[in-house]
Amino acid sequence: WRRDFHQHPEVGFQEYRTAGRVAETLRALGLSVQTEVGKTGVVGVLGSGKPVIGLRADMDALPIQEANDDINYASQHPNVMHACGHDAHTAILLGVAQMLSAMPERPAGELRFFFQPCEETEDDEGHSGAELMVEAGALDGVDHVIALHVGSDLPAGKVVINDGSITAAVDTFYATITGTGCHGAYPQRGVDPIYILAQVINAIHGIRARRIDPVRPALISVGSVHGGDTDNVIPNEVQLTGTMRSYDDATRDQLAVELHQAFGVARALGGDYQLRIQRGCPSVFNDAQVAATIRAVARDLLGPDGLLDSPPGMGGEDFSFMTRKAPGAMFLLGAQYDEISRPHHSPIFNIDESSFAVGAAVLAETALRLLKDR
């Protein structure tokens, strides 16, 4: 399954083939299947009644040209690649469905399998796949929801599970600083937006250092700056974009307020600005009870050495929309391929397939225990 998905990657909201294969497989296993949930998502249902436990995998790939020339299952689609492991997530969850559907004395309750589109990006209205699945009602009535994410930098078959916030809220800003263009030899005749930009960037970088409580995780990074066309002309404007990351909603809101204050420097220096902040996914918050169940399962199945300690990060994950709808948790599954650094979103990303059995077992057993605990 994983190698088939890897050879035929599809970017967000274009996962037509992948969704078709998933739906076909789930129906063959005897599940009730709904397609086109949140555009290209698939929901499979096994069993009925309460409790309802959701299990989630994402299906989308990235617009990256694969550079793994030493494997026989490399992407067959130019400039599209599963460079974050979503092919593995989909395959693992299909394996979980296969195991649980074949179980003769499964505990009472409903298992709901979410195969989600477009985790990596958003549609034209700024909505991601998980957000649209929630809006479509896919998680209505769900008591708990669980998921995994492979880690290419963690030893294969090891598990990391933390309580509380494990990823950051992700907000993007788009800004234009305007001045008055003039000849580079006579800067006094205009208002230099590049000079203003330098002061604004300093103010932006001062937000985390001087405006946010030091014990609250937060960051702002400027990712792009564009301005001017030649060496001796001061332009009328410059554009910049960046990202803001935070864990809690109060810090998230404060970052937005402080960013507007920082851009206010432009007006103090005789220029002006326009700023648009696009709110993305919130922070994934792992429910302590669900995380404890995953931790116990990993310890029972793998022994104490199967669990690793690793701090949460500032990456984003739209599974957060699901954990805001129903208490849940996501764990990291170690899947380091070899000794070469193969970071997520890189052309040489790859993972150790031997870890898949561990991921499927931990998901399946966690779902069973959550059924029994109710």
Side-chain angles (χ1 to χ4, degrees):
W1 286 327
R2 183 261 169 156
R3 292 187 176 192
D4 177 65
F5 297 141
H6 194 87
Q7 287 179 294
H8 303 282
E10 297 167 301
V11 296
F13 293 129
Q14 297 181 31
E15 308 93 342
Y16 303 110
R17 181 188 183 278
T18 305
R21 292 296 305 272
V22 166
E24 176 186 17
T25 302
L26 294 177
R27 289 192 182 102
L29 294 174
L31 277 69
S32 171
V33 177
Q34 182 180 0
T35 59
E36 299 181 358
V37 182
K39 295 189 178 180
T40 49
V42 179
V43 178
V45 176
L46 179 64
S48 61
K50 296 291 282 183
V52 180
I53 307 301
L55 302 95
R56 174 268 200 175
D58 38 11
M59 302 186 293
D60 57 320
L62 287 155
I64 294 174
Q65 177 63 44
E66 181 156 15
N68 291 315
D69 299 326
D70 59 337
I71 59 174
N72 60 10
Y73 53 91
S75 171
Q76 297 179 7
H77 298 188
N79 301 313
V80 186
M81 175 192 176
H82 272 292
C84 200
H86 298 186
D87 52 342
H89 302 168
T90 302
I92 288 170
L93 193 55
L94 286 175
V96 174
Q98 184 181 56
M99 285 192 290
L100 295 181
S101 64
M103 185 172 290
E105 297 182 4
R106 191 175 59 251
E110 177 184 319
L111 295 167
R112 202 176 296 177
F113 296 84
F114 305 116
F115 292 85
Q116 176 209 307
C118 199
E119 187 278 328
E120 297 287 358
T121 56
E122 299 163 338
D123 65 12
D124 292 339
E125 286 75 43
H127 301 299
S128 72
E131 186 178 11
L132 290 185
M133 291 192 82
V134 171
E135 290 180 0
L139 275 86
D140 290 356
V142 171
D143 294 288
H144 295 300
V145 61
I146 57 176
L148 62 75
H149 202 299
V150 294
S152 65
D153 58 344
L154 297 170
K158 305 296 184 181
V159 168
V160 174
I161 177 69
N162 292 309
D163 297 347
S165 294
I166 63 165
T167 68
V170 179
D171 299 320
T172 305
F173 66 87
Y174 305 87
T176 300
I177 295 173
T178 55
T180 305
C182 62
H183 197 297
Y186 306 98
Q188 75 279 8
R189 296 178 181 175
V191 176
D192 186 349
I194 293 178
Y195 165 74
I196 294 174
L197 169 71
Q199 317 314 311
V200 169
I201 288 179
N202 278 332
I204 290 172
H205 289 162
I207 292 172
R208 179 66 188 91
R210 287 295 176 265
R211 300 298 298 167
I212 304 296
D213 186 333
V215 302
R216 288 156 57 185
L219 68 82
I220 304 182
S221 292
V222 176
S224 72
V225 173
H226 299 279
D229 297 306
T230 188
D231 63 295
N232 64 346
V233 177
I234 293 173
N236 285 316
E237 63 181 34
V238 294
Q239 295 85 35
L240 65 157
T241 65
T243 186
M244 299 189 293
R245 308 291 171 108
S246 55
Y247 279 177
D248 63 272
D249 289 345
T251 303
R252 187 181 194 183
D253 292 340
Q254 185 183 356
L255 284 173
V257 171
E258 299 291 348
L259 188 64
H260 274 283
Q261 296 275 52
F263 274 96
V265 171
R267 291 174 180 165
L269 294 174
D272 205 348
Y273 75 92
Q274 293 179 322
L275 172 63
R276 178 172 68 89
I277 298 174
Q278 180 174 308
R279 288 173 72 91
C281 61
S283 170
V284 173
F285 186 88
N286 276 357
D287 176 80
Q289 175 190 345
V290 179
T293 302
I294 294 173
R295 193 174 295 111
V297 166
R299 188 178 294 112
D300 291 346
L301 293 180
L302 307 174
D305 293 338
L307 280 166
L308 296 179
D309 289 326
S310 183
M314 297 301 281
E317 235 292 351
D318 79 340
F319 181 60
S320 53
F321 288 108
M322 295 188 177
T323 59
R324 290 203 167 197
K325 182 68 176 179
M330 169 182 280
F331 67 90
L332 294 179
L333 173 66
Q336 186 174 1
Y337 185 73
D338 54 22
E339 297 306 313
I340 299 172
S341 175
R342 299 179 183 272
H344 292 246
H345 294 214
S346 79
I348 61 168
F349 175 87
N350 208 349
I351 46 180
D352 187 336
E353 294 170 335
S354 71
S355 66
F356 296 178
V358 173
V362 173
L363 280 177
E365 179 62 17
T366 300
L368 293 173
R369 293 192 189 185
L370 290 174
L371 287 177
K372 295 175 184 176
D373 288 345
R374 298 287 293 196

